């Protein structure tokens, strides 16, 4: 069974650019959540996708957007990058969306905005 | 407001000493509480959750609703317990989104 994978591992962008991060969910999982982890902080919930529909959103501006595809993989898009967007972005998948479903985390994508 | 507080950024103990990692929460309702762990160069993984009431790797955590706490304990620390520990909560319902604390780095000295 393959775990959650994320790509790329690292990337560097400049302020104002746009970025797309990718996540492949674990086999059999239909729910993907995205988190932002700034240095020295715990992960912060960005949004969740369940069966290709958004299923909850945290306190992030609209320039953070996402997609989930029919195979349940997902993308996180960030437009008009700001310096404060520099962080580790974590993707987590779960078998379903209910509270009793464990989330399985990927290794993360380290984004640096210069 | 929904919040998880871990007051200690770093906890350093000697091997064989007891460990208690503190976690307090604020939530309007009945949350589910978790401890996640991240070992060096590994991904974040679930250590234990309060509803299962299990002991994992010798760690236990009891939900105290009166004190709104979910402290993680182990009677005798091992060097391999050194890691970053995050307390998290999830509300009941149709989403399992997690609210994390800022984490505590546990360093077990030989």
């Amino acid at each position: 069974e393959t775990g959650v994978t994320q790509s790329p591992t690292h990337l560097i962008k400049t302020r104002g650019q746009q970025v797309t991060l990718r996540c492949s969910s674990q086999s059999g999982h239909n729910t993907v959540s995205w988190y932002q982890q700034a240095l020295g902080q715990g992960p912060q919930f960005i949004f969740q996708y369940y069966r290709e529909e958004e299923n909850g959103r945290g306190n992030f501006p609209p320039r953070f957007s996402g997609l989930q595809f029919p195979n349940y993989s997902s993308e996180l898009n960030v437009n008009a990058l700001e310096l404060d967007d520099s962080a580790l972005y974590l993707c987590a998948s779960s078998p379903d969306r209910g509270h009793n479903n464990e989330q399985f985390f990927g290794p993360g994508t380290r984004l640096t905005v210069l | 407001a929904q919040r998880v507080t871990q007051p200690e950024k770093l906890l350093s103990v000697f091997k064989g000493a007891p460990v208690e990692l503190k976690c307090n929460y604020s939530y309007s309702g009945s949350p589910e509480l978790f401890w996640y762990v991240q070992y060096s160069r590994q991904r974040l993984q679930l250590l234990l959750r309060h509803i299962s009431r299990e002991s994992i790797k010798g760690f236990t955590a009891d939900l105290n609703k009166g004190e709104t706490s979910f402290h993680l304990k182990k009677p005798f620390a091992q060097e391999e317990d050194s890691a970053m520990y995050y307390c998290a909560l999830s509300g009941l319902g149709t989403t399992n989104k997690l609210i994390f604390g800022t984490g505590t780095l546990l360093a077990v000295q030989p």
Side-chain angles (χ1 to χ4, degrees), chain A:
Chain A
E1 184 176 277
T2 306
V4 178
T5 60
Q6 292 186 243
S7 63
T9 306
H10 301 88
L11 75 166
I12 299 174
K13 293 285 188 178
T14 56
R15 197 169 48 181
Q17 285 188 310
Q18 177 266 341
V19 69
T20 297
L21 311 182
R22 294 179 175 83
C23 170
S24 289
S25 57
Q26 191 165 313
S27 177
H29 289 188
N30 60 26
T31 303
V32 171
S33 302
W34 286 92
Y35 296 84
Q36 180 195 66
Q37 186 173 19
L39 201 60
Q41 301 296 317
Q44 272 200 291
F45 175 74
I46 303 174
F47 43 56
Q48 180 179 84
Y49 279 85
Y50 167 71
R51 295 183 180 274
E52 303 180 60
E53 298 286 331
E54 188 177 287
N55 184 52
R57 187 180 181 93
N59 189 26
F60 280 82
R63 57 190 186 83
F64 285 78
S65 63
L67 280 175
Q68 188 179 32
F69 299 98
N71 66 354
Y72 302 132
S73 66
S74 179
E75 284 182 356
L76 164 65
N77 299 291
V78 187
N79 293 323
L81 283 167
E82 301 177 0
L83 297 180
D84 284 349
D85 296 334
S86 294
L88 181 68
Y89 288 85
L90 296 170
C91 165
S93 74
S94 53
D96 211 319
R97 61 179 177 170
H99 69 92
N100 57 333
N101 285 275
E102 179 180 344
Q103 294 197 30
F104 294 83
F105 283 82
T109 294
R110 173 76 59 189
L111 172 65
T112 302
V113 182
L114 301 176

Side-chain angles (χ1 to χ4, degrees), chain A residues 3-4 31 33 35 37 40-43 45 48 55 57 90 94 96-103 105-107, chain B residues 9 32 34 36 38 43-46 49 51 84 86 90-103:
Chain A
V4 178
T31 303
S33 302
Y35 296 84
Q37 186 173 19
Q41 301 296 317
F45 175 74
Q48 180 179 84
N55 184 52
R57 187 180 181 93
L90 296 170
S94 53
D96 211 319
R97 61 179 177 170
H99 69 92
N100 57 333
N101 285 275
E102 179 180 344
Q103 294 197 30
F105 283 82
Chain B
K9 282 199 174 295
E32 185 166 355
F34 306 82
Y36 278 79
Q38 187 166 28
R43 61 186 68 190
L44 198 58
Q45 59 185 284
L46 179 66
R49 57 200 303 174
I51 60 168
M84 195 72 182
Y86 294 96
S90 176
L92 303 179
T94 57
T95 174
N96 59 351
K97 72 175 188 182
L98 294 165
I99 298 169
F100 285 90
T102 50

